[in-house]
Amino acid sequence: AQSVTQPDIHITVSEGASLELRCNYSYGATPYLFWYVQSPGQGLQLLLKYFSGDTLVQGIKGFEAEFKRSQSSFNLRKPSVHWSDAAEYFCAVGASDYKLSFGAGTTVTVRA
Amino acid sequence: KAGVTQTPRYLIKTRGQQVTLSCSPISGHRSVSWYQQTPGQGLQFLFEYFSETQRNKGNFPGRFSGRQFSNSRSEMNVSTLELGDSALYLCASSLSGQGSTDTQYFGPGTRLTVL
């Protein structure tokens, strides 16, 4: 069965600083990987996804993620954080069993 | 194109009651999935439907059930509510339902509170 680990429960970053959120997955076959963001009281918004091909994936809101098969990782990055990026971020892996398996999430706080 | 819609957005019930939540997928999407989100357990998969057929079910008791209609709209039902059922219930739809390799788009959720 597939699983996802997000090692960081909470990250605080200054506005304008760079951000990196870690994600490690476990899956026997080629993974289909996603990053979603959730603002308080809201649903999940898709930031980006990786299916195959170029291992550096560009998403919305200036986010990018890099797939590293050797490290079973799919880390999310943003060069310069804005106050509106404060939210909870979820990494997920999809498989052929019609479900997404999510990590526990990382809460990002942005300080002025 | 309108996104995934869920009704109601908020719901308060008492223990022992039952509840029905509704989800309308993005137009043209045929797969609908349901997830439960709680602070303690995070996001957990409930079930997935495609063309009115349940293709997978998560590890939840039989009190949790769902169905999908011919227009792809879906409902989930929870009977004999327990305090632990308090959660945000999220619905997601995808275009072709080719496993969860297909991108899932989420609705805003229904916040259920059980008193």
Side-chain angles (χ1 to χ4, degrees):
Chain A
Q2 63 272 30
S3 66
V4 174
T5 301
Q6 293 181 246
D8 304 305
I9 296 173
H10 189 213
I11 286 180
T12 298
V13 61
S14 297
E15 192 168 15
S18 63
L19 174 69
E20 181 167 12
L21 304 181
R22 296 184 290 165
C23 171
N24 294 100
Y25 68 90
S26 174
Y27 185 55
T30 300
Y32 293 80
L33 297 161
F34 306 82
W35 274 101
Y36 287 88
V37 61
Q38 184 178 38
S39 298
Q42 302 298 313
L44 302 176
Q45 181 183 21
L46 178 70
L47 285 175
L48 47 77
K49 59 189 177 185
Y50 172 79
F51 286 172
S52 64
D54 193 346
T55 57
L56 187 62
V57 181
Q58 301 299 318
I60 63 170
K61 303 186 178 187
F63 285 92
E64 66 177 26
E66 185 172 13
F67 171 66
K68 292 186 178 180
R69 184 184 298 274
S70 61
Q71 298 177 19
S72 297
S73 69
F74 187 56
N75 294 348
L76 182 72
R77 299 192 292 252
K78 185 169 184 177
S80 177
V81 169
H82 186 261
W83 64 266
S84 60
D85 293 323
E88 191 163 17
Y89 293 79
F90 293 93
C91 181
V93 61
S96 57
D97 57 357
Y98 312 113
K99 72 176 186 181
L100 287 175
S101 296
F102 287 88
T106 298
T107 298
V108 173
T109 298
V110 180
R111 59 184 175 212
Chain B
K1 187 180 278 191
V4 178
T5 59
Q6 293 186 245
T7 56
R9 291 292 312 277
Y10 302 92
L11 207 49
I12 299 175
K13 293 286 187 179
T14 57
R15 280 181 298 173
Q17 287 187 310
Q18 75 165 21
V19 66
T20 299
L21 311 182
S22 181
C23 172
S24 293
I26 293 171
S27 178
H29 285 197
R30 297 173 62 192
S31 168
V32 173
S33 300
W34 289 88
Y35 295 83
Q36 181 197 63
Q37 185 177 25
T38 59
Q41 299 298 316
L43 282 152
Q44 294 187 285
F45 170 77
L46 280 158
F47 23 66
E48 187 267 357
Y49 289 89
F50 180 79
S51 293
E52 302 179 68
T53 300
Q54 185 184 89
R55 297 191 296 186
N56 195 5
K57 187 179 192 309
N59 188 25
F60 280 83
R63 301 184 296 106
F64 291 81
S65 63
R67 59 177 175 168
Q68 186 181 34
F69 302 95
S70 57
N71 61 359
S72 294
R73 192 178 67 85
S74 177
E75 289 181 348
M76 67 163 284
N77 183 277
V78 188
S79 62
T80 319
L81 284 166
E82 301 177 359
L83 295 179
D85 297 333
S86 294
L88 181 67
Y89 289 88
L90 292 165
C91 170
S93 74
S94 61
L95 184 61
S96 61
Q98 293 178 355
S100 24
T101 59
D102 201 4
T103 301
Q104 295 189 25
Y105 297 90
F106 285 79
T110 293
R111 171 72 63 186
L112 173 64
T113 301
V114 182
L115 302 176

